[in-house]
Amino acid sequence: MAMVAVGPDGAFSVNSVGLARAPFPLSFSVRATKGSWLVHATAAQAAELADVLMTVAGDTIVIVGLETNSFLDESYRPWRPSLIAAEQGVGYEAHDVGVLASGVVGLSDEALVIRRDDLPRFLAGWYPYELTMIDVPGAPTAGRLDEIILAVGTAGHDEPILLSLTGSRLFFSGHDDCYVAVESTDPSLPAAIMSRLLALLVGSALVDDSVVDVPDPDVEALESLIEESRHWVGVLGVTTRDAVTVDLHAVPEPWRLGEPPVPARVDRRAVYDITTGGWRLQDPVAPASARPAHPSRDTW
């Protein structure tokens, strides 16, 4: 069972909605198209998903877009990605993108090639408010990198790109250190992302000034949940000394910032037992012990 360390500066803790600063909801949407699964989700920082993304990625990660205020020079200009990698102690190869990135939102002037296993170290301790990356098998040639840059730079909004990049299995785009868009050819990744989002949301209710470790829920139960609906919104429910509840709402369309509050009806409740570290999924109409509606999914 994977664990995630949730700190006071996690995505659900630092993000809020509107002038009233309402807590940021969990949102998850997935669709399948052209051999890929496309996920849109909130709220997660790239570092909070790194180990999950690594499970489906090839040996090499190519970072083609990077913006951050965490590394600025004396003139308040952002560092090049290669300087950040060097500061983080990560081995890299840098590729000058040049005119291929000119005027293209989301692309940097420099593409950074790192080992997949170095991704958590590269992202540790700082925050990219824009991050775009893709995996490749082996060591990419300069021609392959140009091919990737062109594919990413010319892709339409919410359009799959992996079909045109043979061998690549993962594409990630993060925005405002909160919004996540992921494309993968691995059908197991959507449920793994939703599992991590639940752990992060629960962690935000438990953390104070120190880090708290929260286990991810079992992905098999979440795969069944995704079969029921491709679009979910989750908000923190009742929190006690013993448990944290997340109220889950099945919605007809992906959630967007500025939309009305979640529906009054709660379709599922995910309950995290603080003492045992276990999860259970239950219908909201009655305690799990009082009804046998979905016995195979009650305990995770």
Side-chain angles (χ1 to χ4, degrees):
M1 179 181 295
M3 302 278 290
V4 61
V6 184
D9 54 355
F12 282 112
S13 298
V14 300
N15 289 291
S16 58
V17 178
L19 297 177
R21 300 189 63 82
F24 215 91
L26 178 159
S27 71
F28 173 89
S29 295
V30 62
R31 66 184 179 92
T33 179
K34 299 181 180 179
S36 288
W37 283 260
L38 281 72
V39 174
H40 289 269
T42 60
Q45 299 161 356
E48 294 173 326
L49 293 177
D51 62 316
V52 176
L53 300 174
M54 287 165 54
T55 62
V56 301
D59 294 331
T60 306
I61 297 292
V62 180
I63 298 169
V64 297
L66 176 59
E67 301 288 344
T68 181
N69 291 322
S70 296
F71 295 96
L72 302 174
D73 64 17
E74 296 83 355
S75 301
Y76 300 101
R77 292 173 301 190
W79 289 16
R80 293 174 69 84
S82 56
L83 290 177
I84 297 174
E87 178 70 15
Q88 296 292 92
V90 170
Y92 67 89
E93 291 184 8
H95 178 72
D96 187 11
V97 175
V99 296
L100 292 179
S102 179
V104 180
V105 176
L107 291 182
S108 299
D109 293 336
E110 180 184 74
L112 193 69
V113 181
I114 66 174
R115 294 175 60 250
R116 173 199 59 209
D117 294 345
D118 285 336
L119 183 61
R121 183 172 183 176
F122 176 73
L123 293 171
W126 62 284
Y127 304 101
Y129 63 81
E130 296 283 353
L131 180 66
T132 305
M133 59 188 182
I134 191 168
D135 78 319
V136 294
T141 63
R144 175 64 165 173
L145 292 174
D146 287 343
E147 179 187 3
I148 290 171
I149 297 297
L150 284 171
V152 174
T154 58
H157 174 68
D158 201 25
E159 178 181 311
I161 68 170
L162 294 183
L163 183 65
S164 63
L165 296 171
T166 304
S168 292
R169 304 194 296 253
L170 173 73
F171 173 77
F172 172 91
S173 176
H175 175 65
D176 279 351
D177 204 23
C178 169
Y179 301 97
V180 172
V182 180
E183 179 186 351
S184 177
T185 59
D186 191 318
S188 70
L189 187 59
I193 291 175
M194 189 175 188
S195 174
R196 176 56 53 88
L197 291 173
L198 282 166
L200 292 171
L201 181 56
V202 162
S204 72
L206 298 175
V207 71
D208 43 33
D209 294 328
S210 59
V211 172
V212 59
D213 292 326
V214 180
D216 295 336
D218 181 72
V219 295
E220 291 184 3
L222 294 175
E223 287 172 349
S224 298
L225 200 67
I226 293 171
E227 289 178 1
E228 296 179 24
S229 174
R230 294 299 177 98
H231 312 294
W232 290 90
V233 175
V235 294
L236 285 171
V238 176
T239 298
T240 68
R241 291 187 306 171
D242 301 318
V244 180
T245 299
V246 177
D247 292 338
L248 293 168
H249 310 261
V251 291
E253 300 290 340
W255 179 84
R256 294 289 183 267
L257 186 65
E259 288 186 350
V262 295
R265 186 190 70 196
V266 177
D267 295 288
R268 291 288 185 273
R269 283 197 170 103
V271 182
Y272 173 64
D273 189 307
I274 298 171
T275 303
T276 66
W279 288 82
R280 65 182 184 273
L281 184 66
Q282 64 183 48
D283 289 335
V285 294
S289 59
R291 50 88 196 145
H294 302 289
S296 63
R297 293 178 296 166
D298 279 349
T299 303
W300 299 0

